[in-house]
Amino acid sequence: QVQLVESGGGLVQAGGFLRLSCAASGSIFRINDMGWYRQAPGKQRDLVAVITSGGRTNYADSVKARFTISRDNAKNTVYLQMNSLKPEDTAVYYCNAEVWTTAWEKHVYWGQGTQVTVSS
Protein backbone atom coordinates (compact mmCIF):
# COMPACT_ATOMS: atom_id res chain seq x y z
CA GLN A 1 0.00 0.00 0.00
CA VAL A 2 0.97 3.60 -0.61
CA GLN A 3 0.00 6.63 1.44
CA LEU A 4 0.03 10.25 0.33
CA VAL A 5 0.17 12.74 3.20
CA GLU A 6 -0.46 16.41 2.47
CA SER A 7 0.43 19.42 4.56
CA GLY A 8 0.58 23.19 4.27
CA GLY A 9 -3.01 24.26 3.83
CA GLY A 10 -4.63 27.02 5.86
CA LEU A 11 -6.23 30.44 5.88
CA VAL A 12 -4.57 33.32 4.04
CA GLN A 13 -5.59 36.77 2.84
CA ALA A 14 -5.96 37.54 -0.84
CA GLY A 15 -2.59 38.28 -2.38
CA GLY A 16 -0.83 36.01 0.07
CA PHE A 17 0.94 32.72 -0.45
CA LEU A 18 0.98 29.13 0.75
CA ARG A 19 3.14 26.10 0.03
CA LEU A 20 1.59 22.65 -0.04
CA SER A 21 3.59 19.47 0.35
CA CYS A 22 2.66 15.86 -0.33
CA ALA A 23 4.88 12.97 0.68
CA ALA A 24 4.36 9.47 -0.67
CA SER A 25 5.37 6.46 1.41
CA GLY A 26 4.89 2.73 1.43
CA SER A 27 5.45 0.09 -1.21
CA ILE A 28 6.93 2.29 -3.96
CA PHE A 29 8.89 0.93 -6.89
CA ARG A 30 8.69 4.09 -8.98
CA ILE A 31 6.44 7.16 -9.25
CA ASN A 32 5.30 8.53 -12.59
CA ASP A 33 3.23 11.71 -12.66
CA MET A 34 2.40 13.59 -9.47
CA GLY A 35 -0.19 16.29 -9.34
CA TRP A 36 -2.50 18.55 -7.44
CA TYR A 37 -6.26 18.78 -7.86
CA ARG A 38 -8.78 20.96 -6.07
CA GLN A 39 -12.46 20.80 -5.29
CA ALA A 40 -14.56 23.75 -4.21
CA PRO A 41 -17.93 23.21 -2.50
CA GLY A 42 -20.55 22.08 -4.98
CA LYS A 43 -18.04 21.76 -7.81
CA GLN A 44 -16.15 18.93 -9.44
CA ARG A 45 -12.55 18.08 -8.69
CA ASP A 46 -10.30 19.83 -11.21
CA LEU A 47 -6.65 19.53 -12.13
CA VAL A 48 -4.46 22.34 -10.82
CA ALA A 49 -1.00 21.20 -11.89
CA VAL A 50 0.89 18.05 -12.79
CA ILE A 51 4.58 17.17 -13.01
CA THR A 52 6.18 14.16 -14.66
CA SER A 53 9.06 12.19 -13.19
CA GLY A 54 11.32 14.06 -15.61
CA GLY A 55 10.12 17.46 -14.43
CA ARG A 56 7.76 18.50 -17.20
CA THR A 57 4.85 20.51 -15.89
CA ASN A 58 1.34 21.46 -16.92
CA TYR A 59 -1.02 23.94 -15.27
CA ALA A 60 -4.65 24.91 -15.33
CA ASP A 61 -5.06 28.25 -17.08
CA SER A 62 -6.49 29.80 -13.92
CA VAL A 63 -3.24 29.28 -11.95
CA LYS A 64 -0.57 29.81 -14.59
CA ALA A 65 2.07 32.36 -13.55
CA ARG A 66 0.84 32.19 -9.93
CA PHE A 67 1.38 28.55 -8.91
CA THR A 68 4.52 26.44 -9.29
CA ILE A 69 4.64 22.67 -8.97
CA SER A 70 7.90 20.89 -8.17
CA ARG A 71 9.03 17.53 -6.86
CA ASP A 72 11.89 15.87 -5.03
CA ASN A 73 12.18 12.38 -6.44
CA ALA A 74 14.60 11.29 -3.72
CA LYS A 75 11.96 12.13 -1.10
CA ASN A 76 8.93 11.03 -3.16
CA THR A 77 7.47 14.45 -2.45
CA VAL A 78 5.60 16.96 -4.58
CA TYR A 79 5.14 20.63 -3.75
CA LEU A 80 2.78 23.37 -4.84
CA GLN A 81 3.91 26.94 -4.30
CA MET A 82 0.84 29.18 -4.50
CA ASN A 83 1.40 32.92 -4.86
CA SER A 84 -0.96 35.85 -5.40
CA LEU A 85 -3.81 33.81 -3.98
CA LYS A 86 -7.38 34.80 -4.83
CA PRO A 87 -10.65 34.00 -3.03
CA GLU A 88 -11.58 31.77 -5.97
CA ASP A 89 -8.60 29.55 -5.11
CA THR A 90 -10.48 28.47 -1.99
CA ALA A 91 -10.94 24.70 -2.12
CA VAL A 92 -9.80 21.38 -0.74
CA TYR A 93 -6.53 20.51 -2.46
CA TYR A 94 -5.76 16.87 -3.16
CA CYS A 95 -2.44 15.30 -4.02
CA ASN A 96 -2.39 12.59 -6.68
CA ALA A 97 0.30 10.16 -7.79
CA GLU A 98 0.63 7.34 -10.29
CA VAL A 99 2.75 4.74 -8.51
CA TRP A 100 4.37 1.54 -9.68
CA THR A 101 4.27 -0.68 -6.58
CA THR A 102 6.18 -3.40 -8.44
CA ALA A 103 7.75 -3.59 -11.89
CA TRP A 104 4.41 -4.73 -13.34
CA GLU A 105 1.72 -3.21 -11.11
CA LYS A 106 0.61 0.44 -11.24
CA HIS A 107 -2.03 2.28 -9.21
CA VAL A 108 -3.28 5.84 -8.77
CA TYR A 109 -3.37 7.13 -5.23
CA TRP A 110 -4.95 10.19 -3.61
CA GLY A 111 -4.15 12.13 -0.48
CA GLN A 112 -6.74 12.95 2.14
CA GLY A 113 -7.00 16.60 1.08
CA THR A 114 -5.97 19.85 2.71
CA GLN A 115 -8.17 22.93 3.01
CA VAL A 116 -7.02 26.21 1.49
CA THR A 117 -9.12 29.25 2.32
CA VAL A 118 -8.40 32.67 0.83
CA SER A 119 -10.20 35.61 2.42
CA SER A 120 -10.94 38.80 0.52
Short mmCIF file of all heavy atoms in Angstrom, two decimals, residues 17-47:
data_model
loop_
_atom_site.label_atom_id
_atom_site.label_comp_id
_atom_site.label_asym_id
_atom_site.label_seq_id
_atom_site.Cartn_x
_atom_site.Cartn_y
_atom_site.Cartn_z
N PHE A 17 0.38 33.93 0.13
CA PHE A 17 0.94 32.72 -0.45
C PHE A 17 0.87 31.57 0.55
O PHE A 17 0.79 31.76 1.76
CB PHE A 17 2.39 32.96 -0.89
CG PHE A 17 3.33 33.28 0.24
CD1 PHE A 17 4.01 32.28 0.90
CD2 PHE A 17 3.51 34.59 0.65
CE1 PHE A 17 4.87 32.57 1.95
CE2 PHE A 17 4.36 34.90 1.70
CZ PHE A 17 5.04 33.88 2.35
N LEU A 18 0.90 30.37 -0.02
CA LEU A 18 0.98 29.13 0.75
C LEU A 18 1.82 28.13 -0.04
O LEU A 18 1.89 28.21 -1.27
CB LEU A 18 -0.41 28.53 0.99
CG LEU A 18 -1.32 29.18 2.03
CD1 LEU A 18 -2.70 28.53 1.97
CD2 LEU A 18 -0.74 29.05 3.42
N ARG A 19 2.40 27.19 0.67
CA ARG A 19 3.14 26.10 0.03
C ARG A 19 2.60 24.78 0.54
O ARG A 19 2.64 24.51 1.74
CB ARG A 19 4.63 26.20 0.32
CG ARG A 19 5.47 25.21 -0.49
CD ARG A 19 6.90 25.22 -0.03
NE ARG A 19 7.79 24.53 -0.96
CZ ARG A 19 8.83 23.80 -0.58
NH1 ARG A 19 9.10 23.64 0.70
NH2 ARG A 19 9.60 23.22 -1.49
N LEU A 20 2.10 23.97 -0.38
CA LEU A 20 1.59 22.65 -0.04
C LEU A 20 2.68 21.61 -0.30
O LEU A 20 3.45 21.74 -1.25
CB LEU A 20 0.36 22.32 -0.87
CG LEU A 20 -0.81 23.31 -0.82
CD1 LEU A 20 -1.98 22.76 -1.66
CD2 LEU A 20 -1.24 23.58 0.59
N SER A 21 2.68 20.60 0.54
CA SER A 21 3.59 19.47 0.35
C SER A 21 2.80 18.18 0.38
O SER A 21 1.76 18.08 1.05
CB SER A 21 4.65 19.42 1.46
OG SER A 21 5.43 20.58 1.48
N CYS A 22 3.29 17.18 -0.32
CA CYS A 22 2.66 15.86 -0.33
C CYS A 22 3.76 14.81 -0.41
O CYS A 22 4.49 14.76 -1.41
CB CYS A 22 1.70 15.73 -1.50
SG CYS A 22 1.04 14.06 -1.72
N ALA A 23 3.85 14.01 0.63
CA ALA A 23 4.88 12.97 0.68
C ALA A 23 4.25 11.59 0.49
O ALA A 23 3.27 11.26 1.16
CB ALA A 23 5.61 13.02 2.02
N ALA A 24 4.82 10.83 -0.41
CA ALA A 24 4.36 9.47 -0.67
C ALA A 24 5.25 8.49 0.10
O ALA A 24 6.48 8.65 0.14
CB ALA A 24 4.41 9.16 -2.15
N SER A 25 4.62 7.48 0.68
CA SER A 25 5.37 6.46 1.41
C SER A 25 4.69 5.11 1.24
O SER A 25 3.52 5.04 0.87
CB SER A 25 5.48 6.82 2.90
OG SER A 25 4.19 6.86 3.49
N GLY A 26 5.44 4.07 1.54
CA GLY A 26 4.89 2.73 1.43
C GLY A 26 5.62 1.91 0.40
O GLY A 26 6.81 2.08 0.17
N SER A 27 4.88 1.02 -0.25
CA SER A 27 5.45 0.09 -1.21
C SER A 27 5.61 0.77 -2.57
O SER A 27 4.77 0.64 -3.45
CB SER A 27 4.56 -1.14 -1.33
OG SER A 27 5.12 -2.07 -2.23
N ILE A 28 6.70 1.50 -2.75
CA ILE A 28 6.93 2.29 -3.96
C ILE A 28 8.10 1.73 -4.74
O ILE A 28 9.20 1.66 -4.23
CB ILE A 28 7.20 3.76 -3.60
CG1 ILE A 28 5.99 4.37 -2.90
CG2 ILE A 28 7.54 4.56 -4.86
CD1 ILE A 28 6.24 5.74 -2.32
N PHE A 29 7.82 1.35 -5.99
CA PHE A 29 8.89 0.93 -6.89
C PHE A 29 9.36 2.14 -7.70
O PHE A 29 10.55 2.39 -7.83
CB PHE A 29 8.38 -0.18 -7.81
CG PHE A 29 9.39 -0.67 -8.80
CD1 PHE A 29 10.46 -1.44 -8.40
CD2 PHE A 29 9.27 -0.36 -10.16
CE1 PHE A 29 11.40 -1.90 -9.32
CE2 PHE A 29 10.20 -0.82 -11.07
CZ PHE A 29 11.26 -1.59 -10.66
N ARG A 30 8.39 2.88 -8.23
CA ARG A 30 8.69 4.09 -8.98
C ARG A 30 7.42 4.94 -9.05
O ARG A 30 6.33 4.40 -9.06
CB ARG A 30 9.16 3.76 -10.40
CG ARG A 30 9.65 4.95 -11.22
CD ARG A 30 10.17 4.54 -12.59
NE ARG A 30 9.11 4.16 -13.51
CZ ARG A 30 8.93 2.93 -13.97
NH1 ARG A 30 9.74 1.95 -13.60
NH2 ARG A 30 7.96 2.67 -14.81
N ILE A 31 7.59 6.26 -9.12
CA ILE A 31 6.44 7.16 -9.25
C ILE A 31 6.50 7.86 -10.60
O ILE A 31 7.53 8.43 -10.96
CB ILE A 31 6.39 8.21 -8.12
CG1 ILE A 31 6.34 7.53 -6.75
CG2 ILE A 31 5.18 9.12 -8.30
CD1 ILE A 31 6.33 8.50 -5.58
N ASN A 32 5.41 7.80 -11.32
CA ASN A 32 5.30 8.53 -12.59
C ASN A 32 4.85 9.97 -12.30
O ASN A 32 5.51 10.69 -11.57
CB ASN A 32 4.33 7.83 -13.53
CG ASN A 32 4.91 6.57 -14.13
OD1 ASN A 32 6.11 6.30 -14.01
ND2 ASN A 32 4.08 5.79 -14.78
N ASP A 33 3.73 10.36 -12.86
CA ASP A 33 3.23 11.71 -12.66
C ASP A 33 2.75 11.93 -11.23
O ASP A 33 2.20 11.03 -10.60
CB ASP A 33 2.05 12.00 -13.60
CG ASP A 33 2.45 12.02 -15.06
OD1 ASP A 33 3.66 11.88 -15.35
OD2 ASP A 33 1.55 12.17 -15.91
N MET A 34 2.97 13.15 -10.74
CA MET A 34 2.40 13.59 -9.47
C MET A 34 1.67 14.90 -9.74
O MET A 34 2.11 15.70 -10.58
CB MET A 34 3.48 13.79 -8.40
CG MET A 34 4.29 12.55 -8.10
SD MET A 34 5.45 12.77 -6.74
CE MET A 34 4.36 12.55 -5.32
N GLY A 35 0.57 15.10 -9.04
CA GLY A 35 -0.19 16.29 -9.34
C GLY A 35 -1.02 16.78 -8.17
O GLY A 35 -1.09 16.14 -7.12
N TRP A 36 -1.59 17.94 -8.39
CA TRP A 36 -2.50 18.55 -7.44
C TRP A 36 -3.84 18.84 -8.11
O TRP A 36 -3.87 19.34 -9.24
CB TRP A 36 -1.93 19.87 -6.89
CG TRP A 36 -0.75 19.68 -6.01
CD1 TRP A 36 0.57 19.72 -6.37
CD2 TRP A 36 -0.77 19.40 -4.60
NE1 TRP A 36 1.37 19.49 -5.27
CE2 TRP A 36 0.57 19.30 -4.18
CE3 TRP A 36 -1.78 19.25 -3.66
CZ2 TRP A 36 0.92 19.04 -2.85
CZ3 TRP A 36 -1.44 18.99 -2.34
CH2 TRP A 36 -0.11 18.89 -1.95
N TYR A 37 -4.91 18.50 -7.42
CA TYR A 37 -6.26 18.78 -7.86
C TYR A 37 -6.92 19.60 -6.75
O TYR A 37 -6.46 19.62 -5.61
CB TYR A 37 -7.04 17.49 -8.07
CG TYR A 37 -6.60 16.70 -9.29
CD1 TYR A 37 -5.39 16.03 -9.31
CD2 TYR A 37 -7.41 16.61 -10.42
CE1 TYR A 37 -4.98 15.31 -10.41
CE2 TYR A 37 -7.02 15.87 -11.53
CZ TYR A 37 -5.80 15.25 -11.52
OH TYR A 37 -5.40 14.53 -12.61
N ARG A 38 -8.03 20.26 -7.10
CA ARG A 38 -8.78 20.96 -6.07
C ARG A 38 -10.27 20.84 -6.32
O ARG A 38 -10.71 20.67 -7.45
CB ARG A 38 -8.38 22.43 -5.99
CG ARG A 38 -8.73 23.27 -7.21
CD ARG A 38 -8.13 24.66 -7.07
NE ARG A 38 -8.48 25.52 -8.21
CZ ARG A 38 -7.97 26.75 -8.38
NH1 ARG A 38 -7.11 27.25 -7.50
NH2 ARG A 38 -8.33 27.47 -9.43
N GLN A 39 -11.01 20.91 -5.22
CA GLN A 39 -12.46 20.80 -5.29
C GLN A 39 -13.09 21.82 -4.37
O GLN A 39 -12.90 21.77 -3.15
CB GLN A 39 -12.91 19.39 -4.91
CG GLN A 39 -14.38 19.14 -5.12
CD GLN A 39 -14.74 17.67 -5.01
OE1 GLN A 39 -14.00 16.87 -4.43
NE2 GLN A 39 -15.87 17.28 -5.57
N ALA A 40 -13.82 22.76 -4.97
CA ALA A 40 -14.56 23.75 -4.21
C ALA A 40 -15.94 23.18 -3.89
O ALA A 40 -16.42 22.28 -4.58
CB ALA A 40 -14.67 25.04 -5.01
N PRO A 41 -16.61 23.72 -2.87
CA PRO A 41 -17.93 23.21 -2.50
C PRO A 41 -18.91 23.26 -3.67
O PRO A 41 -19.03 24.29 -4.36
CB PRO A 41 -18.36 24.17 -1.38
CG PRO A 41 -17.09 24.66 -0.79
CD PRO A 41 -16.14 24.76 -1.94
N GLY A 42 -19.56 22.15 -3.91
CA GLY A 42 -20.55 22.08 -4.98
C GLY A 42 -19.99 21.98 -6.38
O GLY A 42 -20.74 22.03 -7.35
N LYS A 43 -18.67 21.83 -6.49
CA LYS A 43 -18.04 21.76 -7.81
C LYS A 43 -17.27 20.45 -7.96
O LYS A 43 -17.01 19.75 -7.00
CB LYS A 43 -17.11 22.96 -8.01
CG LYS A 43 -17.83 24.29 -8.04
CD LYS A 43 -16.91 25.41 -8.45
CE LYS A 43 -17.65 26.73 -8.55
NZ LYS A 43 -16.76 27.84 -8.98
N GLN A 44 -16.90 20.15 -9.19
CA GLN A 44 -16.15 18.93 -9.44
C GLN A 44 -14.68 19.14 -9.09
O GLN A 44 -14.21 20.27 -8.93
CB GLN A 44 -16.27 18.54 -10.91
CG GLN A 44 -15.62 19.52 -11.88
CD GLN A 44 -15.80 19.09 -13.33
OE1 GLN A 44 -16.67 18.29 -13.67
NE2 GLN A 44 -14.96 19.59 -14.22
N ARG A 45 -13.98 18.03 -8.96
CA ARG A 45 -12.55 18.08 -8.69
C ARG A 45 -11.81 18.36 -10.00
O ARG A 45 -11.97 17.63 -10.98
CB ARG A 45 -12.07 16.77 -8.07
CG ARG A 45 -10.66 16.80 -7.56
CD ARG A 45 -10.30 15.49 -6.87
NE ARG A 45 -11.14 15.26 -5.69
CZ ARG A 45 -10.93 14.24 -4.85
NH1 ARG A 45 -9.90 13.39 -5.05
NH2 ARG A 45 -11.72 14.07 -3.81
N ASP A 46 -10.99 19.40 -9.99
CA ASP A 46 -10.30 19.83 -11.21
C ASP A 46 -8.79 19.77 -11.03
O ASP A 46 -8.27 19.99 -9.94
CB ASP A 46 -10.68 21.27 -11.57
CG ASP A 46 -12.12 21.40 -12.02
OD1 ASP A 46 -12.62 20.47 -12.67
OD2 ASP A 46 -12.73 22.44 -11.72
N LEU A 47 -8.10 19.53 -12.13
CA LEU A 47 -6.65 19.53 -12.13
C LEU A 47 -6.13 20.94 -11.91
O LEU A 47 -6.61 21.90 -12.54
CB LEU A 47 -6.12 19.00 -13.46
CG LEU A 47 -4.61 19.07 -13.65
CD1 LEU A 47 -3.90 18.10 -12.71
CD2 LEU A 47 -4.23 18.78 -15.10
#
